[in-house]
Amino acid sequence: MFSVNFFIELGADVRDKYREHIFEKGKDVNNKKFKPYSKEYGERKRANTFKLQDSAYANKVSPVLTGALMEDLAVTKPSSTGFFLGWNVWGSKVISLNKQGRKITTKDKPLPDSVVNFMDKKAESYIHKTHIKPNCKTTKHKIGK
């Protein structure tokens, strides 16, 4: 129904939309702003005193310190049926953030609604553009003699 190229393009776009929602806008998977950091951690982050800290995020409550978690998010295994989106190295950090109440993805809600809506629109557009029809047959039954 879909092509591998469609999912390669869609995967890259979804990754970018996800990064924008979580890390740039500072909203969790439930579309809520991240809660403020503890006093000490917040002061150190704003002062830009951490080793390898990405200073562009010093005044944000987004879960970005060095940018490693954000950059590790990748699209893998694109096929004609979909793709995988996840972290190759920093997956344990996602679990740690969830325990702290900074839910960037969960089993119940892997992506924010805005990203899911984006995916739906792209798929619908692709279907209309390529005139894909469901894989079904019409069967005629003769009634009577």
PDB file of all heavy atoms in Angstrom, residues 122-136:
ATOM      1  N   LYS A 122      -0.229  13.235   6.504  1.00  0.00           N
ATOM      2  CA  LYS A 122       0.727  12.818   5.471  1.00  0.00           C
ATOM      3  C   LYS A 122       0.268  11.526   4.797  1.00  0.00           C
ATOM      4  O   LYS A 122       0.357  11.388   3.576  1.00  0.00           O
ATOM      5  CB  LYS A 122       2.124  12.618   6.063  1.00  0.00           C
ATOM      6  CG  LYS A 122       2.852  13.898   6.354  1.00  0.00           C
ATOM      7  CD  LYS A 122       3.308  14.523   5.067  1.00  0.00           C
ATOM      8  CE  LYS A 122       4.334  15.587   5.348  1.00  0.00           C
ATOM      9  NZ  LYS A 122       4.872  16.164   4.151  1.00  0.00           N
ATOM     10  N   ALA A 123      -0.216  10.565   5.576  1.00  0.00           N
ATOM     11  CA  ALA A 123      -0.675   9.297   5.015  1.00  0.00           C
ATOM     12  C   ALA A 123      -1.909   9.506   4.140  1.00  0.00           C
ATOM     13  O   ALA A 123      -1.999   8.959   3.035  1.00  0.00           O
ATOM     14  CB  ALA A 123      -0.984   8.304   6.138  1.00  0.00           C
ATOM     15  N   GLU A 124      -2.831  10.321   4.617  1.00  0.00           N
ATOM     16  CA  GLU A 124      -4.039  10.605   3.838  1.00  0.00           C
ATOM     17  C   GLU A 124      -3.684  11.293   2.524  1.00  0.00           C
ATOM     18  O   GLU A 124      -4.215  10.947   1.468  1.00  0.00           O
ATOM     19  CB  GLU A 124      -4.983  11.478   4.663  1.00  0.00           C
ATOM     20  CG  GLU A 124      -6.335  11.667   4.035  1.00  0.00           C
ATOM     21  CD  GLU A 124      -7.267  12.452   4.943  1.00  0.00           C
ATOM     22  OE1 GLU A 124      -7.397  12.082   6.120  1.00  0.00           O
ATOM     23  OE2 GLU A 124      -7.857  13.432   4.446  1.00  0.00           O
ATOM     24  N   SER A 125      -2.787  12.229   2.581  1.00  0.00           N
ATOM     25  CA  SER A 125      -2.338  12.924   1.369  1.00  0.00           C
ATOM     26  C   SER A 125      -1.688  11.957   0.386  1.00  0.00           C
ATOM     27  O   SER A 125      -1.937  12.013  -0.822  1.00  0.00           O
ATOM     28  CB  SER A 125      -1.352  14.033   1.754  1.00  0.00           C
ATOM     29  OG  SER A 125      -0.796  14.615   0.614  1.00  0.00           O
ATOM     30  N   TYR A 126      -0.867  11.060   0.900  1.00  0.00           N
ATOM     31  CA  TYR A 126      -0.196  10.072   0.053  1.00  0.00           C
ATOM     32  C   TYR A 126      -1.216   9.147  -0.605  1.00  0.00           C
ATOM     33  O   TYR A 126      -1.112   8.836  -1.790  1.00  0.00           O
ATOM     34  CB  TYR A 126       0.800   9.260   0.879  1.00  0.00           C
ATOM     35  CG  TYR A 126       1.549   8.217   0.100  1.00  0.00           C
ATOM     36  CD1 TYR A 126       2.670   8.552  -0.649  1.00  0.00           C
ATOM     37  CD2 TYR A 126       1.139   6.889   0.084  1.00  0.00           C
ATOM     38  CE1 TYR A 126       3.372   7.598  -1.367  1.00  0.00           C
ATOM     39  CE2 TYR A 126       1.831   5.925  -0.624  1.00  0.00           C
ATOM     40  CZ  TYR A 126       2.949   6.287  -1.355  1.00  0.00           C
ATOM     41  OH  TYR A 126       3.624   5.349  -2.067  1.00  0.00           O
ATOM     42  N   ILE A 127      -2.208   8.740   0.142  1.00  0.00           N
ATOM     43  CA  ILE A 127      -3.238   7.848  -0.392  1.00  0.00           C
ATOM     44  C   ILE A 127      -4.005   8.535  -1.516  1.00  0.00           C
ATOM     45  O   ILE A 127      -4.228   7.958  -2.576  1.00  0.00           O
ATOM     46  CB  ILE A 127      -4.187   7.375   0.727  1.00  0.00           C
ATOM     47  CG1 ILE A 127      -3.458   6.397   1.640  1.00  0.00           C
ATOM     48  CG2 ILE A 127      -5.445   6.736   0.155  1.00  0.00           C
ATOM     49  CD1 ILE A 127      -4.201   6.064   2.915  1.00  0.00           C
ATOM     50  N   HIS A 128      -4.393   9.790  -1.295  1.00  0.00           N
ATOM     51  CA  HIS A 128      -5.130  10.513  -2.339  1.00  0.00           C
ATOM     52  C   HIS A 128      -4.258  10.800  -3.556  1.00  0.00           C
ATOM     53  O   HIS A 128      -4.732  10.726  -4.688  1.00  0.00           O
ATOM     54  CB  HIS A 128      -5.699  11.816  -1.784  1.00  0.00           C
ATOM     55  CG  HIS A 128      -6.834  11.617  -0.837  1.00  0.00           C
ATOM     56  ND1 HIS A 128      -7.846  10.703  -1.033  1.00  0.00           N
ATOM     57  CD2 HIS A 128      -7.122  12.208   0.350  1.00  0.00           C
ATOM     58  CE1 HIS A 128      -8.697  10.746  -0.036  1.00  0.00           C
ATOM     59  NE2 HIS A 128      -8.279  11.643   0.833  1.00  0.00           N
ATOM     60  N   LYS A 129      -2.999  11.117  -3.319  1.00  0.00           N
ATOM     61  CA  LYS A 129      -2.089  11.448  -4.416  1.00  0.00           C
ATOM     62  C   LYS A 129      -1.795  10.235  -5.292  1.00  0.00           C
ATOM     63  O   LYS A 129      -1.726  10.340  -6.505  1.00  0.00           O
ATOM     64  CB  LYS A 129      -0.789  12.017  -3.837  1.00  0.00           C
ATOM     65  CG  LYS A 129       0.185  12.526  -4.872  1.00  0.00           C
ATOM     66  CD  LYS A 129       1.334  13.248  -4.208  1.00  0.00           C
ATOM     67  CE  LYS A 129       2.460  12.271  -4.011  1.00  0.00           C
ATOM     68  NZ  LYS A 129       3.649  12.872  -3.432  1.00  0.00           N
ATOM     69  N   THR A 130      -1.642   9.087  -4.683  1.00  0.00           N
ATOM     70  CA  THR A 130      -1.289   7.888  -5.449  1.00  0.00           C
ATOM     71  C   THR A 130      -2.499   7.034  -5.802  1.00  0.00           C
ATOM     72  O   THR A 130      -2.357   6.006  -6.442  1.00  0.00           O
ATOM     73  CB  THR A 130      -0.285   7.025  -4.659  1.00  0.00           C
ATOM     74  OG1 THR A 130      -0.850   6.701  -3.399  1.00  0.00           O
ATOM     75  CG2 THR A 130       1.031   7.736  -4.486  1.00  0.00           C
ATOM     76  N   HIS A 131      -3.680   7.468  -5.389  1.00  0.00           N
ATOM     77  CA  HIS A 131      -4.933   6.768  -5.699  1.00  0.00           C
ATOM     78  C   HIS A 131      -4.905   5.305  -5.255  1.00  0.00           C
ATOM     79  O   HIS A 131      -5.287   4.406  -5.990  1.00  0.00           O
ATOM     80  CB  HIS A 131      -5.265   6.852  -7.194  1.00  0.00           C
ATOM     81  CG  HIS A 131      -5.296   8.246  -7.705  1.00  0.00           C
ATOM     82  ND1 HIS A 131      -6.270   9.140  -7.332  1.00  0.00           N
ATOM     83  CD2 HIS A 131      -4.465   8.916  -8.538  1.00  0.00           C
ATOM     84  CE1 HIS A 131      -6.052  10.308  -7.923  1.00  0.00           C
ATOM     85  NE2 HIS A 131      -4.955  10.195  -8.648  1.00  0.00           N
ATOM     86  N   ILE A 132      -4.426   5.089  -4.053  1.00  0.00           N
ATOM     87  CA  ILE A 132      -4.372   3.734  -3.507  1.00  0.00           C
ATOM     88  C   ILE A 132      -5.788   3.286  -3.160  1.00  0.00           C
ATOM     89  O   ILE A 132      -6.554   4.010  -2.536  1.00  0.00           O
ATOM     90  CB  ILE A 132      -3.481   3.674  -2.256  1.00  0.00           C
ATOM     91  CG1 ILE A 132      -2.049   3.964  -2.646  1.00  0.00           C
ATOM     92  CG2 ILE A 132      -3.613   2.334  -1.565  1.00  0.00           C
ATOM     93  CD1 ILE A 132      -1.112   4.036  -1.469  1.00  0.00           C
ATOM     94  N   LYS A 133      -6.101   2.103  -3.570  1.00  0.00           N
ATOM     95  CA  LYS A 133      -7.399   1.522  -3.251  1.00  0.00           C
ATOM     96  C   LYS A 133      -7.170   0.348  -2.305  1.00  0.00           C
ATOM     97  O   LYS A 133      -6.164  -0.342  -2.404  1.00  0.00           O
ATOM     98  CB  LYS A 133      -8.076   1.011  -4.526  1.00  0.00           C
ATOM     99  CG  LYS A 133      -8.236   2.068  -5.604  1.00  0.00           C
ATOM    100  CD  LYS A 133      -9.677   2.325  -5.870  1.00  0.00           C
ATOM    101  CE  LYS A 133      -9.936   3.243  -7.035  1.00  0.00           C
ATOM    102  NZ  LYS A 133      -9.500   4.547  -6.995  1.00  0.00           N
ATOM    103  N   PRO A 134      -8.102   0.107  -1.406  1.00  0.00           N
ATOM    104  CA  PRO A 134      -7.951  -1.048  -0.516  1.00  0.00           C
ATOM    105  C   PRO A 134      -7.863  -2.332  -1.323  1.00  0.00           C
ATOM    106  O   PRO A 134      -8.423  -2.439  -2.414  1.00  0.00           O
ATOM    107  CB  PRO A 134      -9.208  -1.027   0.343  1.00  0.00           C
ATOM    108  CG  PRO A 134      -9.801   0.317   0.162  1.00  0.00           C
ATOM    109  CD  PRO A 134      -9.306   0.858  -1.143  1.00  0.00           C
ATOM    110  N   ASN A 135      -7.183  -3.295  -0.789  1.00  0.00           N
ATOM    111  CA  ASN A 135      -6.984  -4.570  -1.459  1.00  0.00           C
ATOM    112  C   ASN A 135      -8.214  -5.449  -1.225  1.00  0.00           C
ATOM    113  O   ASN A 135      -8.229  -6.314  -0.366  1.00  0.00           O
ATOM    114  CB  ASN A 135      -5.725  -5.248  -0.925  1.00  0.00           C
ATOM    115  CG  ASN A 135      -5.246  -6.335  -1.839  1.00  0.00           C
ATOM    116  OD1 ASN A 135      -5.786  -6.525  -2.913  1.00  0.00           O
ATOM    117  ND2 ASN A 135      -4.228  -7.055  -1.404  1.00  0.00           N
ATOM    118  N   CYS A 136      -9.294  -5.194  -1.995  1.00  0.00           N
ATOM    119  CA  CYS A 136     -10.511  -5.972  -1.832  1.00  0.00           C
ATOM    120  C   CYS A 136     -11.127  -6.249  -3.202  1.00  0.00           C
ATOM    121  O   CYS A 136     -10.854  -5.552  -4.166  1.00  0.00           O
ATOM    122  CB  CYS A 136     -11.508  -5.269  -0.930  1.00  0.00           C
ATOM    123  SG  CYS A 136     -12.015  -3.660  -1.533  1.00  0.00           S
TER     124      CYS A 136
END
